[in-house]
């Protein structure tokens, strides 16, 4: 039993007790009462942002947003033991689902998470989820978790990995305006974690917040050797003064599906004589800042021009012509690329 040796301690204890008395916590006595409360919250939302979710813990697709939840003892929630990936839905087609799904499973393997389903089943679930959502433009985000079962560091022997997915009603369009960036002071992830698309995104969050606090769009990570790495959730690419497209090596960063597709499409500009070459290589900060053009590359952008870095203009400080030409190539691929490989038609119900 604790003893209190001073009147100030006793006063503090009394105040704390008083606060507890002042704050009467409601106890939900039935699941129906709780569900009613949750549904009341969502009934005030004008447009439902999450039209459909899949949960392997439920064993199906959920349409009621009040039930789109993850167990509190899921290891992805309290230990960050999970991986994820995202594909976009554009004009009724899922873009690059297979490429993203392959990376998703590679990440899961690195994180020592086995899938509760074979790859073909995961793919089928995602396509059916997109169809059920009725969304023609949005994002399809999905996770593999070590699963629910306890609050220890490692999952219980009896726990089963969990698969979750959600369709997000999201409007996006080709980016044509340039943005400002800064060099991040937040330490970047080690290569083992940076090359795995896991849910531990606190460094990424802090890096983005740091940029926003300084009036910039996002940050650029520079590795310990002084080479350009990546943005907080996007790859970065450059056009040199010699008109070469240059992308940093992927040995210490995530190999973005969109930037890999950009590297496949960019030779078209070489054939046209607009680009002199395409390559991946190490770039120092000095080399990168002296480039003619600079851009972020990511799924929903797909290419975002960068016109200023650390308050210094990139090139002439305007959106680059070749940046937009590359953006056009990827956007055209997203809108009208090969079906069955790049684009999968959603069989809407």
């Amino acid at each position: 039993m604790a003893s209190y040796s001073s009147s100030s301690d006793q006063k503090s204890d009394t105040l704390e007790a008083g606060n507890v008395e002042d704050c009467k916590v409601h106890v939900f006595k039935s699941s129906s009462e709780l569900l009613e409360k949750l549904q009341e919250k969502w009934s005030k939302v004008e447009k439902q942002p999450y039209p459909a979710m899949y949960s392997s813990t439920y064993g199906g697709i959920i349409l009621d947003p009040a039930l789109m939840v993850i167990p509190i003892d899921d290891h992805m929630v309290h230990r960050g033991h999970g991986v994820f990936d995202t594909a976009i839905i554009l004009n009724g087609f899922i873009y690059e689902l297979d490429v993203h799904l392959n990376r998703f499973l590679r990440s899961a393997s690195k994180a020592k998470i086995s899938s509760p389903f074979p790859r073909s089943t995961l793919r089928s679930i995602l396509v059916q989820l997109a169809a059920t959502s009725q969304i023609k433009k949005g994002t399809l985000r999905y996770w593999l978790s070590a699963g629910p079962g306890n609050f220890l560091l490692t999952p219980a022997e009896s726990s089963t990995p969990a698969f979750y997915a959600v369709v997000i009603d999201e409007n996006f369009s080709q980016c044509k305006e340039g943005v400002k960036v800064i060099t991040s002071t937040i330490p970047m992830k080690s290569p083992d974690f940076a090359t795995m698309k896991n849910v531990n995104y606190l460094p990424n969050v802090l890096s983005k917040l740091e940029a926003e606090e300084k009036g910039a769009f996002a940050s650029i990570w520079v590795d310990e050797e002084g080479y350009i790495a990546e943005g907080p959730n996007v790859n970065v690419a450059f056009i040199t003064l010699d008109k070469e497209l240059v992308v940093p090596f992927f040995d210490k960063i995530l190999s973005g599906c969109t930037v890999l597709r950009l590297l496949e499409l960019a030779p078209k500009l070489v054939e046209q004589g607009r680009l002199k070459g395409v390559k991946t290589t190490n770039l120092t900060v000095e080399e990168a800042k002296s480039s003619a053009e600079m851009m972020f590359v990511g799924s929903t952008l797909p290419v975002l021009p960068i016109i200023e870095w650390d308050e210094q203009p990139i090139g002439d400080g305007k959106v680059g012509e070749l940046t937009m030409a590359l953006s056009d190539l990827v956007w055209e691929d997203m809108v009208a690329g090969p079906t069955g490989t790049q684009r999968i038609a959603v069989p809407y119900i």
Side-chain angles (χ1 to χ4, degrees), residues 65-296:
L67 295 175
M68 294 179 184
V69 295
I70 295 176
I72 191 65
D73 64 346
D74 190 300
H75 278 249
M76 185 170 71
V77 174
H78 65 85
R79 297 298 179 189
H81 194 177
V83 298
F84 78 103
D85 220 301
T86 307
I88 69 165
I89 303 170
L90 182 60
N91 299 340
F93 288 81
I94 306 175
Y95 183 64
E96 289 206 307
L97 175 60
D98 289 306
V99 175
H100 283 89
L101 194 53
N102 289 341
R103 182 177 65 180
F104 178 61
L105 291 172
R106 288 197 302 271
S107 295
S109 177
K110 288 181 179 180
K112 299 186 184 298
I113 302 172
S114 58
S115 172
F117 309 114
R119 182 190 183 282
S120 58
T121 302
L122 294 176
R123 188 181 190 275
S124 178
I125 289 170
L126 292 172
V127 172
Q128 290 179 62
L129 179 66
T132 303
S133 76
Q134 296 296 308
I135 293 298
K136 302 297 192 297
K137 180 187 279 190
T139 53
L140 179 60
R141 185 164 296 200
Y142 41 100
W143 298 262
L144 266 177
S145 161
N150 62 31
F151 286 94
L152 303 178
L153 279 174
T154 56
E157 290 184 8
S158 58
S159 46
T160 302
F163 178 59
Y164 307 106
V166 65
V167 174
I168 304 170
D169 187 357
E170 185 176 5
N171 189 27
F172 51 86
S173 57
Q174 187 179 11
C175 298
K176 298 183 179 182
E177 300 294 324
V179 299
K180 301 175 182 180
V181 299
I182 64 167
T183 302
S184 180
T185 65
I186 306 299
M188 63 181 288
K189 299 175 186 175
S190 67
D192 284 344
F193 290 103
T195 56
M196 177 203 318
K197 200 169 176 68
N198 60 78
V199 299
N200 297 294
Y201 256 47
L202 185 55
N204 310 64
V205 171
L206 294 177
S207 177
K208 186 78 160 74
L209 287 174
E210 178 187 35
E212 291 175 352
E213 288 166 0
K214 295 182 179 180
F217 175 78
S219 301
I220 303 293
W221 266 316
V222 178
D223 71 22
E224 58 186 13
E225 295 179 81
Y227 294 124
I228 303 302
E230 59 184 341
N233 61 343
V234 283
N235 290 103
V236 61
F238 303 86
I239 302 293
T240 68
L241 296 175
D242 293 330
K243 294 190 175 181
E244 276 191 309
L245 171 64
V246 178
V247 174
F249 283 130
F250 299 112
D251 55 337
K252 296 180 181 179
I253 60 175
L254 189 69
S255 55
C257 297
T258 305
V259 78
L260 290 175
R261 183 58 176 164
L262 177 67
L263 291 172
E264 293 175 351
L265 296 170
K268 292 182 181 181
L269 297 186
V270 178
E271 293 170 8
Q272 297 169 12
R274 302 178 70 182
L275 274 179
K276 286 191 177 178
V278 178
K279 67 179 182 180
T280 55
T281 189
N282 284 325
L283 282 95
T284 65
V285 174
E286 183 181 356
E287 290 170 331
K289 286 188 174 182
S290 64
S291 61
E293 301 178 31
M294 180 177 175
M295 68 206 79
F296 278 139

